[in-house]
Amino acid sequence: MRVNVYGSELSAAVAAAALSSVGHQVVWCPHPDFPWHSLESAEWLIREPGLKEQIDTGCRSGLLTIADTPAHGEVDIHWLALAPDQRDAAEAYVADVPAAQSTPLVVINNSTFPVGHTERFEALLGHAGQVAVALPDMLEEGRAWETFTRPSRWLLGSEDTQATHQVRELLRAFNRRQDVFQLMPRRAAELTKLAIIGMLATRISYMNELAGLADSLDVDVEHVRLGMGADSRIGFEYLYPGCGFGGPSFSRDLMRLADVQHASGRESLLLEHVLDINEQKKETLFRKFWNHFHGQLFERRVAIWGAAFKPGTTRIDQAPVLTLLDALLAQGVNVNVHDPEALPALRALYGDHPRVTFCDDDFYAACDGADALMLVTEWKCYWNPNWRQLSERMATPLILDGRNIFDPDYVAARGLIYRGIGRRADPTGA
């Protein structure tokens, strides 16, 4: 098929590369705010596993063309993957389609716009046979290529039989099972995407609330998590307490859901509470540090392992490390930070701060003279450290585990002080 992809989001880059990789003729036009000459050097695109290589392969094959301006003409599919604040650009793009198109086509809305916006696109088309469908972005950053080319499901919002067949054919190479597509009305698909994000955030925040309660009751929250997850009605997914979530898509989608509820006149006290809990949890490691040293923090030194909002990405958008750093620096704490991928993004914000030191290569070096080690992002390289080396390098062997990846009793048995999120070493050694 002839496909035009419009947008500079991760979903646009993946769609352009993946669709061209299976034989579709693709023209990808990034949004003018983020043209290709700036995108191609973006850390998030370079570090996304396999993506840049797939884009280069598509360009070399001639099946992928990257354009500076929208290439309207006779095509089969227009794929829109834009940021939530680029609705005007999306509408202007769709409004220009009918003048250049005399044959049937499908506009795929892969953007997270307000519920009902896919119908708005179809109204702008205004021609029989020119249909807009909703195909919400379900990519997972850090494994975007895999989630596009081997999807567990697609939410397809379509009320037009021919358009549904067209989308199925477009993605047939990646979807050999019919049940991969969950077909529903357009508005339902748009709302379902937001509802999924809201539910996942609620589970995380609920576990974080329970972790706080477990701390106050001297209960190890790991027992509670295992007991809850073993219940078949609940399961284990997204049932891990931590020091807060972040990320560009997750956070924006939550705010979009809040906006949808506000616009409908149905304010959600639950969603507001979820968001409040998350912001509070981003400070939880700081509070544990404060309590351990009774507020005497000036000129102390902290090592932070992990800055990205999750492993496998370079991004720090709304990441807990930002809130944590601001709190520490406000108290005159010196901070050594290590992250395998996200330090360039962090340098852009804190590179000139005299109290922040970036440790590019050796994450143990970040712990030299530290009064505490704060584990913020659970990169695999941090899971099994040399505890003896940490104890020797640190001024105070205090481990503040923001992701509960370490075994509290094992750490304590090696002479270090462990504090997790609702977890601590058994004082009896049992």
Side-chain angles (χ1 to χ4, degrees):
M1 294 186 196
R2 299 162 298 175
V3 183
N4 282 2
V5 176
Y6 183 46
S8 299
E9 296 292 281
L10 173 63
S11 52
V14 174
L19 294 174
S20 65
S21 75
V22 296
H24 297 297
Q25 190 69 51
V26 179
V27 176
W28 173 26
C29 177
H31 188 275
D33 287 351
F34 303 98
W36 175 242
H37 67 79
S38 62
L39 275 183
E40 65 178 332
S41 59
E43 284 289 327
W44 64 264
L45 188 145
I46 294 171
R47 300 293 186 182
E48 184 66 38
L51 179 54
K52 185 61 164 58
E53 292 82 356
Q54 292 291 345
I55 293 172
D56 292 341
T57 298
C59 291
R60 287 195 301 269
S61 72
L63 289 170
L64 174 59
T65 301
I66 302 176
D68 294 327
T69 57
H72 287 307
E74 294 288 345
V75 299
D76 302 296
I77 300 286
H78 285 280
W79 183 292
L80 307 181
L82 295 111
D85 60 353
Q86 294 172 342
R87 277 184 289 161
D88 291 343
E91 291 184 5
Y93 179 95
V94 173
D96 287 340
V97 167
Q101 184 87 22
S102 60
T103 55
L105 64 80
V106 176
V107 171
I108 295 177
N109 179 20
N110 190 229
S111 312
T112 304
F113 291 146
V115 174
H117 220 74
T118 305
E119 296 170 4
R120 166 69 176 159
F121 290 146
E122 187 165 306
L124 289 170
L125 293 170
H127 283 56
Q130 296 184 1
V131 181
V133 302
L135 192 72
D137 170 19
M138 305 294 286
L139 296 184
E140 296 178 31
E141 192 162 339
R143 52 189 299 268
W145 182 262
E146 180 183 351
T147 50
F148 191 103
T149 58
R150 296 181 180 179
S152 60
R153 71 193 186 288
W154 284 104
L155 298 175
L156 176 56
S158 173
E159 291 102 341
D160 184 277
T161 301
Q162 187 57 42
T164 300
H165 289 325
Q166 187 84 331
V167 175
R168 286 182 181 274
E169 178 61 25
L170 175 74
L171 300 172
R172 181 169 54 85
F174 316 118
N175 305 279
R176 302 298 294 273
R177 305 191 332 268
Q178 289 294 312
D179 61 353
V180 168
F181 285 96
Q182 293 182 268
L183 183 63
M184 59 186 71
R186 289 172 290 192
R187 289 190 175 217
E190 293 166 336
L191 182 56
T192 299
K193 159 66 186 297
L194 299 177
I196 289 170
I197 297 299
M199 176 58 77
L200 297 180
T202 299
R203 286 174 67 98
I204 295 170
S205 290
Y206 182 60
M207 280 307 300
N208 282 336
E209 283 276 81
L210 285 177
L213 179 60
D215 257 341
S216 65
L217 296 175
D218 199 22
V219 171
D220 187 341
V221 77
E222 181 67 2
H223 297 303
V224 180
R225 186 187 72 82
L226 292 173
M228 291 174 64
D231 190 315
S232 61
R233 297 168 298 178
I234 298 173
F236 288 99
E237 293 297 319
Y238 284 79
L239 214 60
Y240 295 90
C243 57
F245 56 79
S249 296
F250 205 81
S251 301
R252 288 187 317 196
D253 290 346
L254 273 178
M255 295 309 300
R256 177 63 61 203
L257 180 57
D259 291 344
V260 167
Q261 293 189 318
H262 177 76
S264 70
R266 296 177 178 272
E267 301 289 349
S268 174
L269 295 178
L270 174 60
L271 187 57
E272 289 178 12
H273 194 48
V274 165
L275 293 168
D276 287 343
I277 291 171
N278 187 54
E279 291 307 307
Q280 293 167 15
K281 274 299 169 181
K282 291 179 181 180
E283 296 183 348
T284 190
L285 296 184
F286 172 78
R287 290 195 295 270
K288 290 177 182 292
F289 183 56
W290 174 284
N291 289 336
H292 184 84
F293 289 105
H294 307 289
Q296 304 301 310
L297 305 186
F298 186 69
E299 291 297 347
R300 292 195 182 274
R301 182 169 298 276
V302 165
I304 291 180
W305 282 0
F309 77 87
K310 72 171 188 176
T313 182
T314 65
R315 299 206 193 190
I316 58 170
D317 309 61
Q318 291 85 45
V321 73
L322 302 178
T323 301
L324 182 57
L325 271 173
D326 289 344
L328 291 169
L329 296 175
Q331 294 297 318
V333 177
N334 299 299
V335 184
N336 300 340
V337 189
H338 178 274
D339 187 283
E341 303 288 352
L343 287 190
L346 202 64
R347 271 195 177 94
L349 296 178
Y350 295 93
D352 296 328
H353 201 290
R355 291 190 179 276
V356 180
T357 301
F358 298 94
C359 303
D360 293 275
D361 300 318
D362 183 5
F363 53 88
Y364 289 108
C367 300
D368 287 340
D371 294 292
L373 166 60
M374 298 182 175
L375 186 287
V376 179
T377 310
E378 65 276 28
W379 291 93
K380 287 301 183 183
C381 62
Y382 301 143
W383 279 67
N384 292 283
N386 183 324
W387 296 110
R388 176 177 292 179
Q389 185 176 166
L390 283 180
S391 183
E392 292 172 350
R393 285 177 175 256
M394 297 177 68
T396 306
L398 173 63
I399 308 299
L400 300 175
D401 183 0
R403 299 300 173 187
N404 288 356
I405 67 171
F406 303 132
D407 182 286
D409 295 328
Y410 187 88
V411 175
R414 270 127 196 92
L416 295 95
I417 306 164
Y418 178 91
R419 296 289 183 271
I421 309 300
R423 302 207 69 194
R424 65 183 65 197
D426 186 343
T428 67

